[in-house]
Amino acid sequence: TGLLQKDDWRVYGKSIPASEVGGDYYDYFPLADGRLLVVIGDVSGHGVPAALVMAMAKATIRNEILNNPCPTAVFKKLNDLIFETMKKKRFMTFFYSLVNPEDQTVTFSNAGHCQAIVVKKNGEINEIGINGFPLGISRKSNFKLEKISLERGDRIYYYTDGFPETLDLQNEPFGYQRMKELLKSSYQKNITDACENIFLTVQKFRFGDIQDDDLSLIILEYK
């Protein structure tokens, strides 16, 4: 998707699928009202079926944000669609956030996805996004809306579980703690270099072994 810059905000993301067709979905773009949309999701399974759910989610979100971009409203629509279409054969984790540059806030909701990581200028790390049920699991899922304020220098890292679940040659996972330490150390680099370094570090951890899962990462920075 490349580097997105709007005023004092920058967003950069990258995805490497495990096969020719991936089940990860990430996107970020400005809305007509001046806010920024940042989303990342992961469909269960791989190959064509997962890719079809991903494409369906992308089309739904692009359509629904024109009516009501509120995260919980979009989640409800998408949850109903996946539940009815997939009949519990596929589900999707999703982290959806709206960035408001006017008051430096981020409003978000999390449907079973990895919690996003906030890295502050002083090195403090916070996890955000209380986990709800993944999309498509239940027709009656409730999604919580949360909101945080960012300060200059803050970054938010959104990622899929392919990173912490990457295995080395001894079948030891990269792990969430190692992932948080990697994100913290990457703060010293600009967001494009930080993104590349995170991918490279995890790839080296595999020692050239086969990539078993899609890898997707987005970095949001308030300069």
Side-chain angles (χ1 to χ4, degrees):
T1 306
L3 179 65
L4 170 64
Q5 299 190 64
K6 179 176 173 58
D7 301 324
D8 293 328
W9 299 82
R10 295 192 298 174
V11 192
Y12 183 77
K14 180 178 179 177
S15 183
I16 299 179
S19 58
E20 290 185 6
V21 286
D24 280 3
Y25 167 46
Y26 80 110
D27 211 349
Y28 45 92
F29 51 87
L31 302 180
D33 62 9
R35 290 182 293 179
L36 299 176
L37 179 75
V38 180
V39 296
I40 189 167
D42 185 359
V43 181
S44 61
H46 301 287
V48 174
L52 289 175
V53 176
M54 184 271 287
M56 182 171 61
K58 181 175 182 178
T60 301
I61 287 174
R62 288 274 181 168
N63 182 63
E64 285 302 309
I65 60 173
L66 300 176
N67 301 316
N68 183 3
C70 175
T72 52
V74 174
F75 272 3
K76 185 179 186 310
K77 183 74 173 183
L78 192 53
N79 182 71
D80 291 346
L81 180 63
I82 295 176
F83 184 85
E84 291 294 338
T85 306
M86 294 292 108
K87 307 298 182 183
K88 298 185 179 180
K89 293 179 182 178
R90 288 283 186 276
F91 62 87
M92 186 177 196
T93 67
F94 217 102
F95 200 109
Y96 182 116
S97 53
L98 285 170
V99 182
N100 189 340
E102 290 189 0
D103 62 4
Q104 299 83 49
T105 61
V106 181
T107 303
F108 55 89
S109 190
N110 183 10
H113 198 74
C114 303
Q115 289 183 286
I117 304 295
V118 179
V119 179
K120 306 186 74 64
K121 191 174 182 179
N122 63 5
E124 180 183 341
I125 295 180
N126 297 313
E127 292 179 294
I128 61 170
I130 299 173
N131 281 327
F133 286 111
L135 303 173
I137 291 288
S138 170
R139 187 191 300 275
K140 297 182 179 180
S141 294
N142 293 316
F143 306 104
K144 296 181 179 179
L145 197 63
E146 300 179 70
K147 188 175 183 177
I148 61 169
S149 296
L150 295 184
E151 300 174 343
R152 288 192 179 276
D154 287 355
R155 286 183 182 177
I156 301 181
Y157 293 80
Y158 308 83
Y159 62 94
T160 54
D161 62 10
F163 286 98
E165 293 179 2
T166 292
L167 301 176
D168 65 10
L169 296 182
Q170 286 72 46
N171 284 327
E172 178 187 348
F174 191 74
Y176 287 92
Q177 183 58 40
R178 193 181 273 118
M179 185 66 182
K180 287 192 286 186
E181 293 171 357
L182 174 59
L183 299 182
K184 180 178 178 179
S185 66
S186 76
Y187 182 90
Q188 303 304 320
K189 303 178 183 293
N190 65 58
I191 63 173
T192 54
D193 289 344
C195 183
E196 296 301 326
N197 179 67
I198 292 165
F199 274 90
L200 182 60
T201 300
V202 175
Q203 288 165 355
K204 286 182 177 178
F205 183 80
R206 289 203 318 270
F207 286 100
D209 203 2
I210 296 173
Q211 180 181 323
D212 292 327
D213 199 0
D214 304 328
L215 301 174
S216 299
L217 171 72
I218 303 174
I219 305 176
L220 165 71
E221 178 180 59
Y222 178 33
K223 292 193 296 182

